Amino acid sequence: MLLALLQANSKVLDPEANCAAVDAAAREAAAAGADVLVTPELFPVGYAPIPVRAQLDPALLPVLRRKLADIARNNGIGLVYSLPRVSPEGDWQISATLLDADGTVLLEYGKVHLFGPDERAAFAPAGERPAVVDFKGVPTSMVICYDVEFPEAVRAAAAGGAELLLVPTALAHGFDDVPQVLLRARALESQLAIAYANHSGIEDGCRFLGGSVIAGPDGRLLAAAGGEPQLLFAKVDRESVRRERAAVPYLDERRPDVYRTWEA
């Protein structure tokens, strides 16, 4: 499977411009033969939690979802996007959605671990376990940004059968160890491929790192971006996952019954 990651600067509260950027990236990625395009956290509305929560009309969210489904369908490519969502209880959450090349929703996920005072002021944490779906023959799951920094979140996806983890993120400048060290450790310890798509540039005063990466199940980087906008590509295959899990069966040799007693 060929993965494409969009690393770009979004415009806060300018969904028209941001969706046009996604459309252009989807067109380029599809022309290169990519199966899916992963875009950064909250990219269609810009990463600015407090202004987005205060000024974004929630009635626009279904319109944006339809527009993004059209982008996937018109370009014939799978798409991961991240938007706010409103729960049945009225809470605003950060979500991610995986579409197939027909624009059909395959998977949705709500961010469990919120980062920083702005996110916590604007959004409520979700609580669902990362689900796993078959995407083009590959068991696939998602988490969002800060979630991947918790081994429990990634291990839950892997224990559920995931061999590929797609991660929209919004990582600020100065946190280089997250993609370069921590994310590679997550891929290695759960023996799955991870695609991590970040913003670049400055949005609402936040300077983003860029540094998007695709890591293999052995923890090695298959592709890595610098700080500038770019479209990142890497191929992942199930055989590499099977090979790593056969060599050192971390998942099979876990002892969750023992671990539960440690926290009792």
Side-chain angles (χ1 to χ4, degrees):
M1 177 183 293
L2 183 62
L3 308 179
L5 273 61
L6 173 63
Q7 178 171 290
N9 184 228
S10 64
K11 298 181 182 298
V12 175
L13 291 168
D14 191 347
E16 192 71 27
N18 297 331
C19 285
V22 173
D23 190 25
R27 190 177 311 113
E28 182 179 346
D35 297 287
V36 63
L37 172 67
V38 185
T39 65
E41 182 181 12
L42 294 179
F43 188 85
V45 294
Y47 184 84
I50 289 176
V52 165
R53 177 65 179 85
Q55 300 176 47
L56 184 69
D57 182 354
L60 183 61
L61 295 173
V63 177
L64 286 174
R65 292 182 183 277
R66 288 193 295 270
K67 188 176 188 69
L68 290 157
D70 287 343
I71 288 171
R73 183 170 49 253
N74 293 340
N75 290 289
I77 189 172
L79 178 65
V80 173
Y81 66 81
S82 171
L83 280 173
R85 72 179 183 188
V86 183
S87 74
E89 295 74 31
D91 292 326
W92 281 57
Q93 299 173 338
I94 300 174
S95 74
T97 301
L98 169 63
L99 306 175
D100 67 14
D102 294 324
T104 301
V105 174
L106 298 181
L107 183 61
E108 291 188 338
Y109 172 80
K111 188 174 185 178
V112 173
H113 303 93
L114 299 178
F115 182 81
D118 285 3
E119 277 194 16
R120 296 187 186 104
F123 298 105
E128 70 257 41
R129 175 179 177 149
V132 180
V133 297
D134 182 304
F135 177 65
K136 300 184 79 67
V138 178
T140 300
S141 188
M142 292 189 300
V143 297
I144 301 171
C145 195
Y146 195 37
D147 289 330
V148 82
E149 299 181 37
F150 292 81
E152 296 86 351
V154 181
R155 182 53 60 84
E163 298 178 9
L164 173 63
L165 188 67
L166 306 174
V167 188
T169 193
L171 185 71
H173 184 80
F175 290 93
D176 306 58
D177 285 349
V178 173
Q180 290 296 323
V181 179
L182 190 148
L183 188 135
R184 297 173 66 181
R186 294 289 166 269
L188 174 61
E189 70 195 7
S190 286
Q191 298 167 316
L192 41 61
I194 302 181
Y196 183 83
N198 195 21
H199 296 249
S200 64
I202 297 174
E203 298 169 31
D204 193 41
C206 179
R207 181 184 173 196
F208 289 97
L209 174 68
S212 301
V213 296
I214 301 171
D218 58 358
R220 297 183 183 180
L221 291 182
L222 303 176
E228 299 303 312
Q230 72 175 95
L231 201 55
L232 195 66
F233 293 91
K235 186 168 286 189
V236 298
D237 65 272
R238 298 192 68 185
E239 184 53 39
S240 63
V241 173
R242 293 171 181 147
R243 184 170 58 250
E244 294 302 319
R245 291 181 178 180
V248 184
Y250 289 136
L251 295 176
D252 291 340
E253 295 181 349
R254 291 177 305 129
R255 299 188 61 193
D257 54 331
V258 174
Y259 309 150
R260 280 192 289 271
T261 69
W262 293 351
E263 296 190 5

